[in-house]
Amino acid sequence: MADVDAFGAARRAIDSGALSPVYHLVGDEELLKDDLVTAIVDRAVDPSTRDFNVDVRQAADLDGESLHALVETPPMLAETRVVVVKHIDQWRKNAKVWQVLDRYLDQPSPTTTLVLTEIARKKGGNPLQAALARRAQQVECTTLGPADLRAWVADRASTLDVVLEPDAVEHLIAVTQGQLGALVSELHKLAAAAEGPLTVDDVGVFVGVHRGETPEDWIDAVLARDVTRSIGMLDRVLALPGASAVRLVAVLGGHLIGLRLAVMVGRRRNAISVLTRECRTARLWALGPPDAVARRWAAAAPHWSLAALDRAVRASYDADRHLKSTRASTDAGVLTDLVLACARERDAA
């Protein structure tokens, strides 16, 4: 087995009917885990027998004996069944239930698909981490890459009978900063209010955010050191679904660090290729598609020196600390100070 599979690849394999005996879903995106569980159940169990052949349990409610009974129970009036055990990180490291699971992984039931979920792979917290890597299909349920995120939005939209043009999907992702919960919320609004294929302008009307007013546009304005535009759109951006000052600072900080490389690369002929490769290597999916991020950094680089970037990175770090501590200033106030700090660095550079 591969160490950890990407969500999109695992989903495509499941949809094709290629099911593994045991799945280990790891990460903090519960929506992705739920999507995979739904896909597995749809493939493994006939709808007419699901009441008898799908068991979903919390790990905290199971001990070794009950887990053994659960995974070894044969299907009823069907060929296969699905057992889902959520949050196995709740089991104590020395609990006997791990021994039962270890034995089961050696010889899983041919009529049962077992799905285990875990928030994070903490060192030493899961005594079967290596065994699960070898004997189960592990799937990373965290940040989606750009292509998988677009596919996820399109799939969610189709289940709600919402048809989005490609530009509309991109705009919706930009508005929500790719946060899955916010995307689902906005898709439900579109399903209730809109009909027919939706364009980017339609999405702008129904969501209330037009092109040029997204968190990505705010980041672009700060990277261009456009103080008037950055501060002018700040209140609208902070009011967007799923938007938060902490997330804006985190994304901006990532871009500021990446800009250091862009400044060092300079105007070399292969600058975009170098930056794209580094984005892919570092798996900076939260910042956007690697080729788009590379072009973004290359375009912003002429506005900055390394010294100015170092000071801006420190300013973003200070802003993050202020946002996460008790303070008198508002989120908008902290971000305004950060924008001004970045702009002042231009004079000091």
Side-chain angles (χ1 to χ4, degrees):
M1 295 280 180
D3 182 17
V4 181
D5 291 333
F7 170 86
R11 178 61 192 270
R12 288 188 289 273
I14 292 167
D15 289 343
S16 72
L19 294 178
S20 297
V22 182
Y23 288 90
H24 181 209
L25 313 183
V26 185
D28 54 8
E29 281 290 5
E30 296 299 324
L31 279 170
L32 297 184
K33 296 175 189 174
D34 290 343
D35 282 356
L36 289 179
V37 169
T38 299
I40 290 167
V41 169
D42 286 345
R43 278 293 172 181
V45 183
D46 187 274
S48 63
T49 67
R50 285 181 188 173
D51 288 345
F52 311 107
N53 293 308
V54 177
D55 277 299
V56 180
R57 304 290 182 87
Q58 290 292 328
D61 297 330
L62 298 173
D63 57 16
E65 184 178 348
S66 57
L67 176 65
H68 175 77
L70 190 63
V71 295
E72 295 296 348
T73 298
M76 182 180 296
L77 303 175
E79 294 183 358
T80 56
R81 64 195 296 268
V82 175
V83 172
V84 181
V85 180
K86 293 190 171 184
H87 303 154
I88 63 172
D89 41 284
Q90 294 175 345
W91 286 334
R92 297 190 310 275
K93 183 179 179 180
N94 60 350
K96 291 184 178 180
V97 68
W98 290 110
Q99 299 174 14
V100 174
L101 179 58
D102 192 22
R103 290 194 296 270
Y104 182 81
L105 291 174
D106 278 335
Q107 193 172 1
S109 169
T111 59
T112 297
T113 297
L114 174 62
V115 183
L116 308 166
T117 78
E118 188 172 7
I119 293 176
R121 290 172 293 159
K122 298 178 180 178
K123 186 176 181 180
N126 180 341
L128 293 186
Q129 186 57 58
L132 284 166
R134 293 192 309 271
R135 293 178 280 175
Q137 180 174 353
Q138 290 188 304
V139 184
E140 193 78 50
C141 296
T142 53
T143 303
L144 292 176
D148 285 340
L149 181 57
R150 289 192 292 270
W152 187 88
V153 172
D155 181 67
R156 278 279 174 158
S158 68
T159 64
L160 298 170
D161 294 325
V162 175
V163 180
L164 298 169
E165 293 186 356
D167 284 352
V169 172
E170 296 291 350
H171 183 59
L172 195 58
I173 290 172
V175 167
T176 59
Q177 293 185 280
Q179 295 186 67
L180 304 187
L183 280 165
V184 170
S185 177
E186 293 305 317
L187 286 171
H188 278 282
K189 292 179 186 176
L190 292 173
E195 295 181 0
L198 301 180
T199 66
V200 63
D201 292 330
D202 294 329
V203 171
V205 170
F206 287 110
V207 175
V209 183
H210 296 279
R211 277 187 286 193
E213 300 177 346
T214 70
E216 292 297 300
D217 296 312
W218 182 80
I219 295 290
D220 280 336
V222 177
L223 295 183
R225 306 174 97 166
D226 187 335
V227 176
T228 301
R229 185 164 172 247
S230 301
I231 295 178
M233 72 169 72
L234 193 50
D235 287 337
R236 294 194 300 278
V237 169
L238 284 173
L240 297 180
S244 74
V246 170
R247 180 171 174 81
L248 287 172
V249 170
V251 174
L252 176 62
H255 282 299
L256 290 172
I257 292 172
L259 269 175
R260 294 189 90 264
L261 177 61
V263 170
M264 289 188 287
V265 170
R267 298 180 180 275
R268 285 165 45 181
R269 185 172 299 177
N270 64 338
I272 299 297
S273 297
V274 171
L275 296 175
T276 300
R277 183 174 65 250
E278 291 300 321
C279 285
R280 288 202 178 99
T281 300
R283 298 178 63 82
L284 301 176
W285 302 119
L287 301 184
D291 55 342
V293 172
R295 290 193 297 271
R296 196 177 198 175
W297 290 349
H303 298 292
W304 299 86
S305 67
L306 291 177
L309 282 167
D310 288 343
R311 289 188 288 268
V313 168
R314 284 196 295 272
S316 66
Y317 172 75
D318 290 339
D320 182 73
R321 290 185 61 192
H322 285 132
L323 290 168
K324 294 175 179 176
S325 64
T326 303
R327 64 196 187 285
S329 181
T330 63
D331 287 357
V334 173
L335 292 184
T336 297
D337 289 343
L338 174 57
V339 169
L340 293 173
C342 288
R344 280 196 297 269
E345 303 305 345
R346 189 173 195 173
D347 296 331

